[in-house]
Amino acid sequence: MSIYLVVFILLCYLALIKCIYYRHRRTLMKSLKRLLSVSSSRDSDGAEIRALLVTAHPDDECMFFAPTIIRLVELNASVHLLCLSEGNYYNQGAQRRQELLNSCAVLGIPASRVTIVDHKKLPDDPKAEWSVSLVSSTIVKHIRAHSFNVVLTFDGRGVSGHANHVAIHKAVRHLASTGQVPDDCCLLSLVTVGLLRKYISFLELPLSWLLPSCLCCIIGSQGYRRAKAAMLCHRTQLLWFRYLYITFSRYMFVNTLRMIPQGPKNLKIY
């Protein structure tokens, strides 16, 4: 194959990515309104969106969810974070707590909207089995206290397969299936992709755009720089492979989310 043809195909592919990005910027608010059944006088105004992101550890917010956070903040949505552990696996809990607050500030979430849970039954440990009952009760109390209309978290594979990520998904699924979530609250899970798609960086964007999902959040070069700066706030976690992740992971550029189906309300279990 001629080198000129390869260059031409590559340039066309990059042009496609650019088109997808600009189209996404115009349509994201409409997608959110349709998904959450909210109304606004302006397409660019997301002030009626009150979003809660539920994560397991400090650094999950920027490592996996940065595109969603950045796009929601740009739309003027109220974004909150509930982190269910301090990340104290290596006895660095206090330092990681501050790193999380610094990362959230970079992403646009003020410290007043960040809640960090420190519970002995919710340790940062891939071998620990978190109680679905405890996690679900913690989440639903937070939802009701702040009247959130969208909750975002991991899917059943937890992106990285971490047991604590999966436990959060199980807890949210439990809330959904037992009808404990308010009627106006939408539950979304971050789609886990295969290894190849995960590590081809922004080149994966067309696949994420074309494959079915409830919501697709894409950031450009400026958003990527914010996501990278947030990752660099977690200095205790910056081992060599984290730099590779920052460079090659598609989660630094795009998030695709699916709706978690909800069961009948006020379900009684005998």
Side-chain angles (χ1 to χ4, degrees), residues 74-90:
E74 287 177 352
L75 293 173
N76 200 33
S78 175
V79 182
H80 294 240
L81 174 68
L82 175 62
C83 183
L84 293 177
S85 80
E86 283 189 324
N88 201 34
Y89 188 67
Y90 293 107

PDB file of all heavy atoms in Angstrom, residues 74-90:
ATOM      1  N   GLU A  74     -19.151  21.863  32.130  1.00  0.00           N
ATOM      2  CA  GLU A  74     -19.232  22.852  31.050  1.00  0.00           C
ATOM      3  C   GLU A  74     -20.677  23.247  30.753  1.00  0.00           C
ATOM      4  O   GLU A  74     -20.938  24.378  30.331  1.00  0.00           O
ATOM      5  CB  GLU A  74     -18.582  22.297  29.785  1.00  0.00           C
ATOM      6  CG  GLU A  74     -17.062  22.236  29.832  1.00  0.00           C
ATOM      7  CD  GLU A  74     -16.454  21.605  28.586  1.00  0.00           C
ATOM      8  OE1 GLU A  74     -17.214  21.078  27.747  1.00  0.00           O
ATOM      9  OE2 GLU A  74     -15.217  21.640  28.453  1.00  0.00           O
ATOM     10  N   LEU A  75     -21.595  22.312  30.986  1.00  0.00           N
ATOM     11  CA  LEU A  75     -23.011  22.581  30.741  1.00  0.00           C
ATOM     12  C   LEU A  75     -23.699  23.244  31.932  1.00  0.00           C
ATOM     13  O   LEU A  75     -24.914  23.420  31.929  1.00  0.00           O
ATOM     14  CB  LEU A  75     -23.737  21.272  30.391  1.00  0.00           C
ATOM     15  CG  LEU A  75     -23.350  20.625  29.057  1.00  0.00           C
ATOM     16  CD1 LEU A  75     -24.007  19.259  28.920  1.00  0.00           C
ATOM     17  CD2 LEU A  75     -23.745  21.521  27.887  1.00  0.00           C
ATOM     18  N   ASN A  76     -22.911  23.574  32.963  1.00  0.00           N
ATOM     19  CA  ASN A  76     -23.437  24.252  34.156  1.00  0.00           C
ATOM     20  C   ASN A  76     -24.270  23.317  35.040  1.00  0.00           C
ATOM     21  O   ASN A  76     -25.110  23.775  35.814  1.00  0.00           O
ATOM     22  CB  ASN A  76     -24.265  25.486  33.775  1.00  0.00           C
ATOM     23  CG  ASN A  76     -24.410  26.456  34.930  1.00  0.00           C
ATOM     24  OD1 ASN A  76     -23.506  26.581  35.762  1.00  0.00           O
ATOM     25  ND2 ASN A  76     -25.544  27.135  35.009  1.00  0.00           N
ATOM     26  N   ALA A  77     -24.059  22.019  34.916  1.00  0.00           N
ATOM     27  CA  ALA A  77     -24.739  21.065  35.796  1.00  0.00           C
ATOM     28  C   ALA A  77     -24.100  21.098  37.180  1.00  0.00           C
ATOM     29  O   ALA A  77     -22.931  21.450  37.335  1.00  0.00           O
ATOM     30  CB  ALA A  77     -24.658  19.657  35.213  1.00  0.00           C
ATOM     31  N   SER A  78     -24.875  20.717  38.170  1.00  0.00           N
ATOM     32  CA  SER A  78     -24.367  20.601  39.537  1.00  0.00           C
ATOM     33  C   SER A  78     -23.861  19.172  39.725  1.00  0.00           C
ATOM     34  O   SER A  78     -24.643  18.226  39.768  1.00  0.00           O
ATOM     35  CB  SER A  78     -25.488  20.908  40.546  1.00  0.00           C
ATOM     36  OG  SER A  78     -25.049  20.692  41.864  1.00  0.00           O
ATOM     37  N   VAL A  79     -22.544  19.023  39.820  1.00  0.00           N
ATOM     38  CA  VAL A  79     -21.927  17.700  39.889  1.00  0.00           C
ATOM     39  C   VAL A  79     -21.363  17.467  41.292  1.00  0.00           C
ATOM     40  O   VAL A  79     -20.602  18.291  41.807  1.00  0.00           O
ATOM     41  CB  VAL A  79     -20.802  17.548  38.853  1.00  0.00           C
ATOM     42  CG1 VAL A  79     -20.203  16.151  38.914  1.00  0.00           C
ATOM     43  CG2 VAL A  79     -21.325  17.840  37.450  1.00  0.00           C
ATOM     44  N   HIS A  80     -21.753  16.354  41.898  1.00  0.00           N
ATOM     45  CA  HIS A  80     -21.273  15.969  43.229  1.00  0.00           C
ATOM     46  C   HIS A  80     -20.548  14.632  43.120  1.00  0.00           C
ATOM     47  O   HIS A  80     -20.804  13.837  42.211  1.00  0.00           O
ATOM     48  CB  HIS A  80     -22.432  15.828  44.205  1.00  0.00           C
ATOM     49  CG  HIS A  80     -23.142  17.115  44.499  1.00  0.00           C
ATOM     50  ND1 HIS A  80     -23.221  17.649  45.775  1.00  0.00           N
ATOM     51  CD2 HIS A  80     -23.818  17.972  43.695  1.00  0.00           C
ATOM     52  CE1 HIS A  80     -23.915  18.775  45.735  1.00  0.00           C
ATOM     53  NE2 HIS A  80     -24.285  18.990  44.482  1.00  0.00           N
ATOM     54  N   LEU A  81     -19.672  14.375  44.082  1.00  0.00           N
ATOM     55  CA  LEU A  81     -18.934  13.114  44.122  1.00  0.00           C
ATOM     56  C   LEU A  81     -19.110  12.440  45.475  1.00  0.00           C
ATOM     57  O   LEU A  81     -18.965  13.083  46.522  1.00  0.00           O
ATOM     58  CB  LEU A  81     -17.445  13.356  43.863  1.00  0.00           C
ATOM     59  CG  LEU A  81     -16.527  12.133  44.024  1.00  0.00           C
ATOM     60  CD1 LEU A  81     -16.792  11.100  42.936  1.00  0.00           C
ATOM     61  CD2 LEU A  81     -15.058  12.540  44.013  1.00  0.00           C
ATOM     62  N   LEU A  82     -19.432  11.166  45.441  1.00  0.00           N
ATOM     63  CA  LEU A  82     -19.468  10.331  46.638  1.00  0.00           C
ATOM     64  C   LEU A  82     -18.412   9.253  46.460  1.00  0.00           C
ATOM     65  O   LEU A  82     -18.574   8.353  45.635  1.00  0.00           O
ATOM     66  CB  LEU A  82     -20.856   9.715  46.830  1.00  0.00           C
ATOM     67  CG  LEU A  82     -21.008   8.707  47.979  1.00  0.00           C
ATOM     68  CD1 LEU A  82     -20.723   9.363  49.333  1.00  0.00           C
ATOM     69  CD2 LEU A  82     -22.399   8.086  47.968  1.00  0.00           C
ATOM     70  N   CYS A  83     -17.325   9.348  47.215  1.00  0.00           N
ATOM     71  CA  CYS A  83     -16.234   8.371  47.143  1.00  0.00           C
ATOM     72  C   CYS A  83     -16.327   7.491  48.383  1.00  0.00           C
ATOM     73  O   CYS A  83     -16.270   7.993  49.517  1.00  0.00           O
ATOM     74  CB  CYS A  83     -14.888   9.087  47.076  1.00  0.00           C
ATOM     75  SG  CYS A  83     -13.468   7.977  46.890  1.00  0.00           S
ATOM     76  N   LEU A  84     -16.441   6.187  48.194  1.00  0.00           N
ATOM     77  CA  LEU A  84     -16.783   5.284  49.294  1.00  0.00           C
ATOM     78  C   LEU A  84     -15.585   4.754  50.080  1.00  0.00           C
ATOM     79  O   LEU A  84     -15.760   3.898  50.953  1.00  0.00           O
ATOM     80  CB  LEU A  84     -17.613   4.124  48.761  1.00  0.00           C
ATOM     81  CG  LEU A  84     -19.011   4.525  48.250  1.00  0.00           C
ATOM     82  CD1 LEU A  84     -19.748   3.332  47.671  1.00  0.00           C
ATOM     83  CD2 LEU A  84     -19.828   5.146  49.374  1.00  0.00           C
ATOM     84  N   SER A  85     -14.392   5.259  49.809  1.00  0.00           N
ATOM     85  CA  SER A  85     -13.242   4.936  50.655  1.00  0.00           C
ATOM     86  C   SER A  85     -12.193   6.037  50.519  1.00  0.00           C
ATOM     87  O   SER A  85     -12.221   6.829  49.569  1.00  0.00           O
ATOM     88  CB  SER A  85     -12.631   3.580  50.272  1.00  0.00           C
ATOM     89  OG  SER A  85     -11.795   3.695  49.136  1.00  0.00           O
ATOM     90  N   GLU A  86     -11.272   6.055  51.478  1.00  0.00           N
ATOM     91  CA  GLU A  86     -10.173   7.019  51.427  1.00  0.00           C
ATOM     92  C   GLU A  86      -9.020   6.540  50.559  1.00  0.00           C
ATOM     93  O   GLU A  86      -8.068   7.272  50.342  1.00  0.00           O
ATOM     94  CB  GLU A  86      -9.637   7.289  52.841  1.00  0.00           C
ATOM     95  CG  GLU A  86     -10.482   8.201  53.690  1.00  0.00           C
ATOM     96  CD  GLU A  86      -9.773   8.576  54.977  1.00  0.00           C
ATOM     97  OE1 GLU A  86      -9.049   7.719  55.529  1.00  0.00           O
ATOM     98  OE2 GLU A  86      -9.922   9.715  55.428  1.00  0.00           O
ATOM     99  N   GLY A  87      -9.074   5.285  50.118  1.00  0.00           N
ATOM    100  CA  GLY A  87      -7.951   4.733  49.373  1.00  0.00           C
ATOM    101  C   GLY A  87      -6.770   4.440  50.278  1.00  0.00           C
ATOM    102  O   GLY A  87      -5.627   4.770  49.957  1.00  0.00           O
ATOM    103  N   ASN A  88      -7.076   3.802  51.408  1.00  0.00           N
ATOM    104  CA  ASN A  88      -6.064   3.627  52.459  1.00  0.00           C
ATOM    105  C   ASN A  88      -5.347   2.277  52.378  1.00  0.00           C
ATOM    106  O   ASN A  88      -4.820   1.786  53.386  1.00  0.00           O
ATOM    107  CB  ASN A  88      -6.736   3.768  53.833  1.00  0.00           C
ATOM    108  CG  ASN A  88      -5.735   4.113  54.927  1.00  0.00           C
ATOM    109  OD1 ASN A  88      -4.771   4.827  54.695  1.00  0.00           O
ATOM    110  ND2 ASN A  88      -5.963   3.580  56.114  1.00  0.00           N
ATOM    111  N   TYR A  89      -5.297   1.672  51.203  1.00  0.00           N
ATOM    112  CA  TYR A  89      -4.710   0.344  51.053  1.00  0.00           C
ATOM    113  C   TYR A  89      -3.241   0.314  51.488  1.00  0.00           C
ATOM    114  O   TYR A  89      -2.779  -0.650  52.082  1.00  0.00           O
ATOM    115  CB  TYR A  89      -4.830  -0.118  49.597  1.00  0.00           C
ATOM    116  CG  TYR A  89      -4.429  -1.549  49.352  1.00  0.00           C
ATOM    117  CD1 TYR A  89      -5.173  -2.599  49.884  1.00  0.00           C
ATOM    118  CD2 TYR A  89      -3.312  -1.856  48.582  1.00  0.00           C
ATOM    119  CE1 TYR A  89      -4.809  -3.926  49.663  1.00  0.00           C
ATOM    120  CE2 TYR A  89      -2.944  -3.177  48.352  1.00  0.00           C
ATOM    121  CZ  TYR A  89      -3.695  -4.202  48.893  1.00  0.00           C
ATOM    122  OH  TYR A  89      -3.333  -5.510  48.675  1.00  0.00           O
ATOM    123  N   TYR A  90      -2.510   1.391  51.201  1.00  0.00           N
ATOM    124  CA  TYR A  90      -1.107   1.492  51.597  1.00  0.00           C
ATOM    125  C   TYR A  90      -0.920   2.503  52.736  1.00  0.00           C
ATOM    126  O   TYR A  90       0.133   3.117  52.865  1.00  0.00           O
ATOM    127  CB  TYR A  90      -0.249   1.905  50.400  1.00  0.00           C
ATOM    128  CG  TYR A  90      -0.167   0.851  49.312  1.00  0.00           C
ATOM    129  CD1 TYR A  90      -0.854   1.016  48.113  1.00  0.00           C
ATOM    130  CD2 TYR A  90       0.575  -0.310  49.494  1.00  0.00           C
ATOM    131  CE1 TYR A  90      -0.797   0.047  47.115  1.00  0.00           C
ATOM    132  CE2 TYR A  90       0.639  -1.282  48.502  1.00  0.00           C
ATOM    133  CZ  TYR A  90      -0.045  -1.099  47.319  1.00  0.00           C
ATOM    134  OH  TYR A  90       0.007  -2.064  46.328  1.00  0.00           O
TER     135      TYR A  90
END
